[in-house]
């Protein structure tokens, strides 16, 4: 249960209503200020891309065009002009301006006999009738269009996927805003309306809003008149008939070869479906049963009736039981092959990276990788709050490396699931496409590793894994501790830097990417929110469209869409992972429902806006109208696609999409037919000792199944190698799908606007309401660390954020909200968990570098001054360099990040001279094991020699004095050239040297 006192601290965490436009203000500059190198912005002189021009959009107003389709390419005609407006239904000032736009639209459309068309979009809530009612009434009350109510203009498009905004008004372009396209669909003007910057409908008065009439009319007619003059001139040169040069005669001459009336223009431009009465009560015969065995599935019958076009019933036949068969992924026999057995800490989920090597490249953190060998598997660890990357999977070059976010206590707190955008070749703009991004969700209520009272401000985190492509150079998708770019041949330890985060699904246990290709960015994910039902009885399905990710180095969450599907009831059990997967062709989302022992199937392209979620679910990422937070209802779903499961967890889809695999955490994996939901085969892994299976995934190269076992801390493959493969027979009734497709085609072609579905509740009604404008106003700004959304940028330190440095009210139930620390640019603070929130190595202390990162007093950077022939150590923490001696303290692990080059390898020795062999506790480091680009970790304690040396051939060593270390007389120094020598130091030492170039720890 969420209580009001838990919500109040969040109110002042959210930016003010105008903050998202502070960087660009209301400037009409295109591209927006600060985005000059972003190619996704459509600016004057740019043609509309073919994909955007030809895409079909649903027209929802005027009523005469209801259910028609709009394609901007239809406006690509001589003399035509197209004007597009960008509004949000939740934006009160935008509502005021929309009325002016409607009046202008109807007047100019009529004056030009349909040559100029106006388009606006419905997004953010409500339905077309309501939205049109607002702008029509406002136009009438302001006396526009000669006092006549607009009826046929503007054309309102249902822009639920924000395609119009993201194609024509790519954020952060201000709003309200307008684009004018000429007859060739080239942008001639892009402008910002006079109500930009006003918070409410009443702040932007009629007098202010009416300023749009003069400016927009002037800009439209400048394009229109130029085109008409050109057409007249062209006609004059191709005919011998004297042409009247008056404006009226010019219009008549042009319009005799094209559309001359508004109705003709409408019928010529829009694709309108056929209409029919669709009130028949005559039903077809019942179909065959959908399955040939078992319960037989279902039957359906249909009628040409728009209110109830189809009915279903269970198959009434008694059929033989479905036999267990054999699927290729299991084979006739199998083995459980351990792939990774170390370095994992309660692994929860796993997924294959769509582009192996893109993230690590050939070298990262001083280690060599082989991006051209094998696949790349990513595993999330709940206990260590990080990701383990298995590079060159299944080859001799296989190795693992773990990586986390510097603010893992919020962004990866008990990370439980991950999913990649694997859609390659989507046709999206290169600066918008989120291919190779991944999102994680966290099974946590935002308690900062148990150090703070939960505030439920938690949800999925998005990351861009691309650190090697030329267009991602300097993007800081990975950074070092201090916030410098960590891509390329970096010796530093690297950390993820999140590309976005949304906060509407605390205690999330499942997430999957939606492979749709309609949105501009492809950043749609579906999540299992276990806390969704405010009554405390279960969770809900939530869709997160990050839309335009704010990118690394920003905290602006104002551009996104979050939709709650409250009718999809989800329940957890003791498991900590619930698999989810979207079928790319069927557009069905399969969800493990652990608490019910079932799989739910949801048709993701269904459901309708019902109301804003801001009142019922008052914890959300941003109050601006560009952030949509809605409740969707009337979704098509099968509540029990598969039932009778025991503690289900992981879920995966076969490569051909015909088989669905589900794991029971106790040890079984079951294969079901996607078409029928029939069980095909199951295997038992409990006999191999796997009784806590989490996530499942399937190799895109081999089709092999991989899973994680949370207690065994292993990645395991179901190995069919060397065994007999097999096939199976579908249990789907031949002809059932053909009959279903024929019925669907007939109903939808003869009944305009009717969608045919076997899982739809046709009695479900939604009366979408326009959100109350006050829900988009900022209530409190006191105490918020920074009103600048780019709080990690170089914009400078905010005075209010600086004051947080001195806050010490760190108590579990104290007043300080830890989210404010992150928003204020703190990664190191006395109140943050585990070593003041930093990721310094054990025993180190941190110092915050606001907006950037932090430094550690136990981290040194080692380089060589070749002109002087000496090693040089530097410290960001102390802001000093050292060339002769470092004083260290026993009980601390020190990190030496070496960047001396291959000719100058560095190692730690008990002697000041570089020696070819160093043995510590019976483990040898050969010269090739010395480090020239990468880290050396030295763990010290009371038994560590009080003097060691950083050495390199041909360079003076740096003396390491360990205060609290063992006296040199307690050590026996042996001659390394003798065969009896096993160590430079006594074998009883517990000193530890960790060399990152190796896969083991020297003890």
């Amino acid at each position: 249960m969420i209580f009001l006192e838990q919500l109040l601290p969040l109110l002042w965490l959210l930016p003010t209503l105008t903050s998202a436009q502070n960087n660009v203000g209301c400037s009409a500059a295109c591209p927006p200020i600060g985005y000059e190198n972003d190619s996704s912005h459509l600016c004057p002189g740019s043609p509309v891309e073919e994909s955007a021009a030809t895409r079909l959009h649903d027209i929802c107003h005027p009523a005469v065009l209801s259910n028609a389709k709009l394609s901007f390419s239809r406006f690509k005609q001589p003399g035509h002009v197209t004007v597009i407006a960008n509004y949000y239904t939740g934006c009160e000032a935008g509502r005021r301006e929309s009325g002016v736009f409607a009046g202008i639209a109807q007047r100019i459309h009529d004056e030009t006999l349909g040559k100029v068309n106006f388009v606006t979009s419905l997004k953010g809530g409500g339905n077309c009738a309501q939205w049109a009612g607002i702008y029509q009434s406002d136009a009438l009350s302001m006396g526009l269009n000669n006092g006549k109510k607009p009826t046929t203009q503007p054309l309102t498009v249902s822009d639920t996927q924000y395609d119009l905004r993201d194609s024509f008004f790519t954020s952060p372009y201000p709003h309200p805003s307008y684009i004018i396209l000429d007859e060739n669909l080239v942008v001639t003007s892009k402008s910002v309306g006079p109500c930009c910057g006003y918070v409410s409908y009443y702040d932007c008065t009629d007098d202010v809003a009416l300023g749009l009439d003069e400016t927009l009319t002037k800009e439209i007619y400048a394009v229109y008149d130029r085109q008409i003059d050109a057409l007249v001139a062209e006609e004059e040169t191709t005919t011998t008939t004297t042409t009247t040069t008056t404006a009226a005669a010019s219009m008549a001459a042009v319009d005799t070869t094209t559309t001359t009336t508004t109705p003709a223009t409408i019928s010529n431009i829009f694709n309108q479906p056929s209409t029919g009465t669709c009130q028949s009560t005559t039903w077809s015969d019942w179909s065959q049963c959908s399955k040939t065995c078992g319960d037989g599935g279902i039957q359906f019958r249909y009628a040409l009736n728009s209110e109830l076009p189809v009915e279903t019933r269970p198959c009434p036949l008694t059929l033989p039981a479905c036999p267990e068969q054999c699927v290729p992924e299991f084979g006739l026999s199998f083995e459980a092959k351990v792939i990774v057995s170390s370095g994992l800490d309660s692994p929860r989920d796993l997924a294959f990276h769509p582009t192996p090597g893109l993230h690590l490249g050939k070298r990262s953190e001083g280690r060599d990788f082989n991006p051209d060998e094998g696949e790349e598997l990513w595993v999330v660890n709940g206990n260590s709050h990080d990701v383990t990357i298995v590079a060159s999977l299944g080859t001799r070059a296989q190795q693992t490396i773990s990586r986390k976010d510097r603010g893992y206590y919020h962004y990866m707190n008990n990370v439980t699931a991950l999913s990649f955008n694997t859609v390659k070749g989507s046709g999206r703009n290169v600066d918008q496409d989120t291919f190779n991004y991944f999102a994680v969700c966290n099974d946590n209520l935002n308690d900062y590793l148990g150090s703070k009272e939960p505030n439920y401000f938690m949800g999925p985190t998005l990351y861009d894994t691309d650190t090697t492509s030329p267009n991602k150079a300097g993007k800081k998708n990975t950074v070092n501790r201090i916030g410098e770019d960590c891509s390329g041949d970096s010796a530093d330890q690297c950390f993820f830097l999140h590309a976005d985060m949304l906060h509407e699904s605390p205690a999330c246990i499942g997430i999957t990417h939606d492979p749709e290709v309609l949105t501009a960015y492809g950043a749609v994910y579906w999540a299992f929110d276990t806390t969704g039902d405010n009554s405390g009885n279960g969770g809900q399905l939530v869709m997160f469209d990050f839309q335009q990710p704010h990118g690394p180095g920003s905290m602006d969450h104002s551009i996104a869409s979050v939709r709650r599907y409250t009718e999809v009831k989800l329940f957890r059990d003791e498991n900590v992972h619930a698999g989810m997967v979207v079928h790319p062709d069927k557009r069905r989302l399969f969800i493990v429902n652990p608490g019910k022992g079932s799989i739910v199937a949801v048709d993701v392209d269904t459901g309708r806006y019902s109301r804003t979620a801001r009142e019922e679910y008052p914890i959300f990422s941003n109050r601006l109208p560009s952030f949509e937070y809605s409740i969707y209802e009337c979704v098509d779903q099968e509540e029990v696609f598969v039932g009778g499961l025991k503690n289900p967890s992981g879920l995966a889809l076969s490569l051909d999409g015909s088989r669905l695999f589900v794991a029971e955490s106790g040890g079984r994996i079951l294969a079901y037919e996607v078409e029928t939901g029939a069980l095909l085969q199951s295997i038992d892994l409990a006999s191999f000792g796997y009784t806590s299976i989490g996530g499942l995934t399937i190799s895109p190269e081999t089709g092999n199944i991989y899973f994680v076992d949370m207690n065994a801390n292993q990645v395991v493959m179901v190995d069919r190698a060397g065994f007999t493969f097999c096939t199976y027979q579908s249990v789907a009734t031949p002809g059932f799908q053909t009959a279903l497709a024929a019925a669907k085609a007939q109903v939808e072609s003869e009944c305009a606007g009717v969608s045919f579905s076997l899982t739809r509740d046709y009695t479900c009604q939604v009366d979408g309401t326009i959100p109350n404008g006050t829900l988009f106003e900022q209530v409190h700004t006191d105490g918020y660390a920074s009103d600048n959304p780019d709080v990690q940028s170089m914009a400078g330190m905010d005075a209010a954020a600086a004051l947080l440095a001195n806050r010490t009210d760190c108590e579990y139930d104290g007043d300080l909200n830890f989210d404010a620390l992150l928003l204020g640019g703190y990664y190191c603070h006395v109140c943050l968990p585990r070593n003041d929130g930093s990721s310094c190595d054990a025993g180190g202390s941190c110092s915050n570098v606001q907006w950037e990162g932090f430094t550690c007093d136990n981290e040194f950077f080692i380089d060589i001054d070749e002109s002087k022939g000496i090693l040089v150590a530097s410290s960001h923490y102390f802001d000093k360099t050292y060339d002769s001696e470092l004083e260290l303290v026993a009980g601390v692990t020190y990190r030496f990040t070496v960047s001396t080059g291959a000719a100058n390898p560095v190692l730690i020795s008990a002697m000041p001279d570089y020696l070819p062999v160093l043995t510590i506790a019976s483990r040898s480091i050969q010269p090739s094991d010395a480090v020239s680009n990468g880290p050396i970790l030295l763990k010290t304690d009371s038994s560590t020699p009080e003097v060691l040396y950083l050495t390199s051939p041909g360079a003076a060593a740096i003396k390491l004095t360990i205060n609290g270390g063992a006296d040199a007389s307690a050590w026996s120094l042996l001659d390394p050239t003798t065969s009896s020598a096993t160590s430079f130091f006594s074998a009883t030492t517990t000193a530890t040297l960790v060399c990152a170039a190796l896969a083991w720890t020297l003890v």
Side-chain angles (χ1 to χ4, degrees):
M1 184 67 68
I2 301 175
F3 300 98
L4 180 60
E5 56 267 26
Q6 292 173 311
L7 307 181
L8 292 177
L10 284 174
L11 294 176
W12 54 269
L13 278 174
L14 304 174
T16 61
L17 187 58
T18 58
S19 67
Q21 294 189 21
N22 281 347
N23 284 355
V24 297
C26 289
S27 168
C30 189
I33 298 170
Y35 293 80
E36 289 81 6
N37 296 323
D38 189 338
S39 66
S40 63
H41 293 275
L42 191 64
C43 297
S46 302
V48 177
E49 291 187 1
E50 183 69 15
S51 59
T54 57
R55 181 169 295 174
L56 294 176
H57 304 272
D58 293 325
I59 298 177
C60 55
H61 190 83
V64 68
L65 296 176
S66 181
N67 301 313
K69 301 287 186 179
L70 164 67
S71 168
F72 285 101
S73 61
R74 296 297 186 93
F75 292 134
K76 194 173 182 178
Q77 298 185 37
H80 279 247
V81 178
T82 309
V83 188
I84 309 172
N86 178 37
Y87 301 120
Y88 297 96
T89 59
C91 179
E92 292 290 273
R95 293 184 187 182
R96 175 79 76 180
E97 207 164 295
S98 67
V100 181
F101 183 74
I104 298 170
Q106 190 68 70
R107 173 175 56 81
I108 296 181
H109 180 78
D110 292 345
E111 288 173 352
T112 60
L113 300 179
K115 282 276 193 293
V116 181
N117 283 278
F118 296 75
V119 179
T120 185
S121 64
L122 175 70
K123 54 184 180 289
N127 60 45
C128 261
Q130 294 169 331
W131 181 232
I134 289 173
Y135 63 64
Q136 288 174 335
S137 297
D138 283 357
L140 192 62
S141 67
M142 286 186 277
L144 294 159
N145 191 37
N146 300 316
K148 297 179 181 179
K149 186 176 183 179
T151 56
T152 63
Q153 292 282 313
L155 307 172
T156 301
V157 169
S158 180
D159 196 21
T160 58
Q161 293 174 317
Y162 292 80
D163 175 65
L164 283 186
R165 184 200 63 189
D166 292 336
S167 295
F168 295 93
F169 303 94
T170 306
S171 299
Y173 199 79
H175 60 86
S177 45
Y178 307 89
I179 271 184
I180 300 175
L181 307 176
D182 68 11
E183 59 191 4
N184 296 311
L185 299 186
V186 173
V187 179
T188 62
S189 172
K190 192 168 185 177
S191 60
V192 178
C195 287
C196 177
Y198 289 89
V199 173
S200 75
Y201 179 91
Y202 299 102
D203 290 338
C204 185
T205 64
D206 285 357
D207 289 341
V208 173
L210 284 168
L212 179 68
D213 191 357
E214 180 180 354
T215 57
L216 200 57
T217 297
K218 182 178 179 180
E219 291 171 350
I220 292 169
Y221 270 108
V223 180
Y224 177 76
D225 289 342
R226 170 175 55 80
Q227 293 180 162
I228 292 301
D229 289 344
L231 285 172
V232 171
E234 181 180 353
E235 237 180 68
E236 288 176 342
T237 61
T238 57
T239 65
T240 57
T241 305
T242 303
T243 305
T244 307
T245 57
T246 63
S250 296
M251 277 300 308
V254 173
D255 283 334
T256 57
T257 60
T258 58
T259 306
T260 58
T261 64
T262 298
T265 301
I266 290 174
S267 62
N268 196 34
I269 290 178
F270 304 114
N271 300 323
Q272 291 182 271
S274 60
T275 59
T277 58
C278 279
Q279 297 297 316
S280 173
T281 58
T282 301
W283 291 97
S284 69
D285 294 334
W286 286 101
S287 71
Q288 301 177 79
C289 295
S290 59
K291 294 162 57 176
T292 60
C293 58
D295 62 11
I298 62 170
Q299 294 178 303
F300 75 89
R301 64 177 185 174
Y302 68 97
L304 297 178
N305 187 298
S306 58
E307 295 182 359
L308 186 62
V310 62
E311 288 184 336
T312 63
R313 72 180 184 186
C315 178
L317 304 179
T318 302
L319 299 172
C322 294
E324 182 155 332
Q325 303 189 67
C326 179
V327 299
E329 291 79 4
F330 294 158
L332 295 174
S333 57
F334 70 94
E335 289 183 352
K337 182 177 181 180
V338 177
I339 302 299
V340 180
S341 59
S342 62
L344 304 178
D345 194 356
S346 188
R348 308 292 173 80
D349 196 14
L350 72 174
F352 282 91
H353 195 292
T355 311
L358 183 74
H359 184 69
L360 296 173
K362 293 184 177 181
R363 189 170 177 85
S364 184
E365 297 191 24
R367 295 170 57 178
D368 292 322
F369 294 92
N370 296 275
D372 298 326
E373 294 188 37
E375 297 178 279
E376 190 171 287
L377 188 63
W378 289 43
V379 185
V380 292
N381 299 292
N383 284 354
S384 52
H385 318 287
D386 61 9
V387 176
T388 296
I389 303 171
V390 186
S392 300
L393 179 74
T395 72
R396 297 181 63 181
Q398 178 178 313
Q399 56 180 313
T400 63
I401 184 172
S402 293
R403 188 159 284 177
K404 64 173 59 177
D405 193 301
R406 292 173 301 169
Y408 62 92
Y409 36 80
H410 179 65
Y411 302 110
M412 285 187 171
N413 191 343
N414 196 23
V415 58
T416 303
L418 86 162
S419 183
F420 282 98
N421 177 347
T422 62
V423 183
K424 185 178 182 179
S426 65
R428 294 183 170 100
N429 182 286
V430 67
D431 288 326
Q432 293 179 313
D433 197 352
T434 58
F435 175 53
N436 291 310
Y437 282 54
F438 77 101
V440 300
C441 73
N442 309 298
D443 188 11
N444 186 265
L445 301 177
N446 200 32
D447 66 357
Y448 283 77
L449 305 183
S451 64
K452 191 64 178 176
E453 186 176 20
N455 65 6
Y456 295 80
F457 196 61
M458 175 60 75
T461 312
L462 185 70
Y463 295 92
D464 183 358
T465 67
D466 190 349
T467 66
T468 59
S469 297
N471 67 311
K472 296 298 178 76
K475 292 288 188 181
K476 290 189 175 183
N477 288 329
T478 56
V479 293
N480 60 13
R481 287 176 173 81
I482 203 172
E484 298 167 336
D485 186 77
C486 202
S487 60
D489 188 13
S490 174
D492 281 350
Q493 184 178 10
C494 298
F495 299 85
F496 294 120
L497 185 56
H498 77 287
D500 211 342
M501 186 180 188
L502 297 171
H503 308 83
E504 293 73 29
S505 61
C508 170
I509 61 172
I511 194 166
T512 190
H513 178 256
D514 189 332
E516 53 78 31
V517 292
L518 295 180
T519 62
Y521 292 85
V524 177
Y525 292 80
W526 298 85
F528 187 134
D529 174 19
T530 66
T531 65
D533 190 331
N534 284 333
S535 68
N537 182 27
Q540 295 168 351
L541 176 65
V542 183
M543 186 217 73
F544 291 92
D545 184 355
F546 290 92
Q547 293 186 348
Q548 182 183 8
H550 61 53
S554 175
M555 295 281 193
D556 182 5
H557 304 124
S558 63
I559 309 296
S561 173
V562 179
R563 295 170 184 172
R564 307 194 71 90
Y565 290 75
T566 57
E567 297 164 331
V568 182
K569 305 290 186 181
L570 304 175
F571 301 85
R572 71 179 306 162
D573 63 3
E574 66 270 18
N575 290 329
V576 290
H577 173 74
M580 306 174 70
V581 63
V582 176
H583 196 293
D585 300 322
K586 295 181 179 297
R587 302 292 298 143
R588 298 202 90 188
L589 167 64
F590 297 100
I591 312 165
V592 165
N593 202 0
K596 295 296 184 181
S598 64
I599 298 174
V600 181
V602 178
D603 295 329
V604 293
D605 295 329
T606 65
R608 301 192 296 278
Y609 173 88
S610 173
R611 58 195 181 278
T612 181
R614 297 181 183 225
E615 293 179 287
E616 297 165 61
Y617 301 89
I619 299 176
F620 48 89
S621 297
N622 197 279
R623 295 184 67 89
L624 287 168
S626 54
F627 176 79
E628 178 198 339
Y629 191 29
S630 303
I631 292 174
Y632 267 57
E633 293 179 337
C634 298
V635 64
D636 297 357
Q637 65 170 316
E638 284 186 74
E639 294 183 13
V640 183
F641 175 72
V642 168
L645 299 171
K646 184 176 181 180
N647 305 123
S649 54
L651 199 66
L653 194 64
S654 66
L655 297 184
D656 65 2
S658 64
R659 296 172 298 284
L660 185 68
F661 296 90
V662 58
E664 293 178 333
S665 63
R668 285 206 307 165
I669 301 179
L670 305 95
Y672 290 90
E673 186 177 32
V674 168
E675 197 67 61
T676 62
L679 177 65
L680 299 174
Q681 189 182 3
S682 65
I683 58 174
D684 191 354
L685 294 152
S687 60
F688 293 90
Y690 300 116
T691 57
S692 57
I693 297 177
L696 289 181
T697 192
I698 291 183
S699 162
E701 296 293 331
T702 68
N704 288 330
I705 295 176
Y706 291 75
F707 65 88
V708 291
D709 188 281
M710 296 176 282
N711 292 340
N713 289 317
Q714 292 180 354
V715 173
V716 184
M717 181 183 78
V718 177
D719 187 8
R720 309 162 294 169
F723 299 104
T724 303
F725 289 81
C726 57
T727 59
Y728 67 94
Q729 294 294 320
S730 171
V731 303
T733 300
F736 180 84
Q737 287 297 325
T738 301
L740 181 62
K744 177 181 174 67
Q746 182 180 358
V747 170
E748 293 185 352
S749 65
E750 298 189 31
C751 300
V754 173
S755 179
F756 187 94
S757 170
L758 298 184
T759 57
R760 177 160 303 171
D761 177 4
Y762 284 94
T763 65
C764 184
Q765 298 295 322
V766 171
D767 182 20
T769 58
I770 298 289
N772 189 314
T774 60
L775 295 170
F776 300 86
E777 296 174 5
Q778 179 63 24
V779 181
H780 298 288
T781 59
D782 54 302
Y784 178 66
S786 174
D787 282 343
N788 184 345
D790 295 320
V791 295
Q792 295 179 32
S793 73
M794 296 301 293
M797 183 184 296
D798 179 82
L803 298 177
L804 293 175
N806 302 318
R807 295 284 292 269
T808 59
D809 47 336
C810 309
E811 298 82 10
Y812 181 78
D813 57 353
D815 291 336
L816 178 61
N817 191 303
F818 288 5
D819 296 329
L821 296 175
L822 290 181
L823 290 169
Y826 291 88
Y827 280 106
C828 171
H829 192 279
V830 66
C831 291
L832 291 175
R834 294 191 186 176
N835 197 21
D836 296 341
S838 76
S839 296
C840 294
D841 293 298
S845 296
C846 63
S847 176
N848 196 62
V849 182
Q850 196 152 19
W851 319 124
E852 298 294 341
F854 60 92
T855 61
C856 297
D857 66 352
N858 58 341
E859 180 177 29
F860 296 91
F861 297 87
I862 310 302
D863 209 334
I864 191 166
D865 186 335
E866 294 182 350
S867 64
K868 296 181 179 180
I870 60 173
L871 288 176
V872 179
S874 60
S875 167
H876 292 317
Y877 183 93
F878 296 107
D879 194 23
K880 292 175 63 177
T881 59
Y882 310 81
D883 56 14
S884 59
E885 182 177 4
L886 285 173
E887 290 194 9
L888 311 181
V889 178
V892 177
T893 297
Y894 288 90
R895 177 179 293 268
F896 301 94
T897 301
V898 181
S899 301
T900 54
N904 302 286
V906 174
L907 54 76
I908 294 179
S909 172
M911 302 177 67
D913 297 324
Y914 181 86
L915 297 174
V917 179
L918 171 67
T919 307
I920 299 179
S922 303
R923 297 302 297 271
S924 296
I925 302 179
Q926 301 299 328
S928 60
D929 294 328
V931 178
S932 58
N933 181 267
I936 299 175
L937 298 183
L938 176 65
K939 180 180 179 182
T940 65
D941 59 23
S942 60
S943 63
T944 305
E946 63 182 354
V947 177
L948 293 171
Y949 296 90
L950 279 168
T951 68
S952 182
I958 296 177
K959 182 180 180 181
L960 306 178
T961 301
I962 292 92
N963 295 318
D967 187 89
S969 62
W971 292 79
S972 57
L973 202 58
L974 305 179
D975 182 355
T977 63
T978 65
S979 59
S980 61
T982 58
S983 176
F984 281 116
F985 311 133
S986 162
T988 60
T989 179
T990 58
T992 302
L993 183 66
V994 182
C995 183
L998 306 176
W1000 37 264
T1001 301
L1002 299 177
V1003 180

